[in-house]
Amino acid sequence: MSRTPLRLYMSVSVDGYIAGPDDRPGQELGRDGFRLFDWLDDRMSEGINGQVYAEASATGAVISGRRTFELAKRWNGDHHDGVPIHVLTHHIDPADEPPGSAKFYTDVDACAEEARDKAGDRAVLVHGAGAAQALLAAGQLDELELHLVPVLLGEGRRLFEPTGLGQVELEPVRRLEGRGVTHLRYRIVHRAR
């Protein structure tokens, strides 16, 4: 890949949900949504789950959707190791000063460009369904790292809603079996614009 990759990291149920129903402040992952993150109990291990967590923590910048940013309590201005946090939003209130290294963007391409620049030779970690969908529509999202958890949540917040983009081809890059999760990485096959 010739450009610094923007890589979505998301835990997802087999039926495509990233949070249970009624996700909101105080219940950020919805009802029963914490089940999707049981694999993080092994994040400090030397096993597969620890490896995948270490890779995500070695990224050089973060792009997040505004909703995810707010539900995560703005990560108190530091997602990991002080890397820049780029927050996609529909509206910027000049009186709302984001904490730490966080910065708001309404332009998807400008957000992606600056995140790549700040990340240098490291990947950019992408969080949130809204950010993923906006970056995918703009042709900026490069990879999906999906942490597939063997559960059917049945309802909640979906990772991908209908986008109007039509079919998007994915190229499998790797598959790792961790305790209670399968880590799948795909490269997005971009069509010529």
Side-chain angles (χ1 to χ4, degrees), residues 119-141:
D121 61 354
R122 299 186 288 168
V124 175
L125 184 153
V126 176
H127 270 315
Q133 292 173 32
L135 290 162
L136 182 64
Q140 295 287 356
L141 190 61

Side-chain angles (χ1 to χ4, degrees), residues 8-176:
L8 175 69
Y9 284 87
M10 291 294 291
S11 290
V12 61
S13 66
V14 172
D15 53 350
Y17 293 100
I18 59 170
D22 195 27
D23 57 327
R24 57 181 162 75
Q27 189 171 270
E28 288 77 12
L29 294 172
R31 288 189 313 276
D32 301 322
F34 279 98
R35 169 66 180 90
L36 298 175
F37 295 89
D38 286 353
W39 70 272
L40 286 175
D41 290 346
D42 296 338
R43 69 184 171 276
M44 304 313 277
S45 76
E46 293 183 14
I48 296 296
N49 292 348
Q51 171 194 328
V52 170
Y53 182 79
E55 290 172 1
S57 297
T59 53
V62 173
I63 295 177
S64 172
R66 180 66 179 258
R67 187 171 194 284
T68 298
F69 182 66
E70 298 300 344
L71 284 173
K73 298 178 179 66
R74 300 179 166 207
W75 295 295
N76 295 318
D78 182 13
H79 186 279
H80 66 277
D81 298 330
V83 301
I85 302 169
H86 304 77
V87 182
L88 281 170
T89 183
H90 294 288
H91 173 76
I92 298 173
D93 178 353
D96 184 3
E97 192 67 35
S101 63
K103 183 177 176 184
F104 295 131
Y105 296 82
T106 56
D107 183 296
V108 176
D109 292 319
C111 178
E113 183 178 324
E114 189 163 328
R116 281 191 176 97
D117 180 59
K118 297 286 187 187
D121 61 354
R122 299 186 288 168
V124 175
L125 184 153
V126 176
H127 270 315
Q133 292 173 32
L135 290 162
L136 182 64
Q140 295 287 356
L141 190 61
D142 301 299
E143 296 178 349
L144 307 176
E145 176 89 25
L146 302 178
H147 316 298
L148 185 63
V149 179
V151 65
L152 300 171
L153 287 183
E155 60 181 323
R157 183 165 302 280
R158 288 198 175 277
L159 175 53
F160 288 108
E161 294 291 345
T163 61
L165 297 176
Q167 182 172 312
V168 176
E169 290 291 329
L170 304 175
E171 176 186 324
V173 174
R174 74 173 185 187
R175 174 188 170 140
L176 300 172

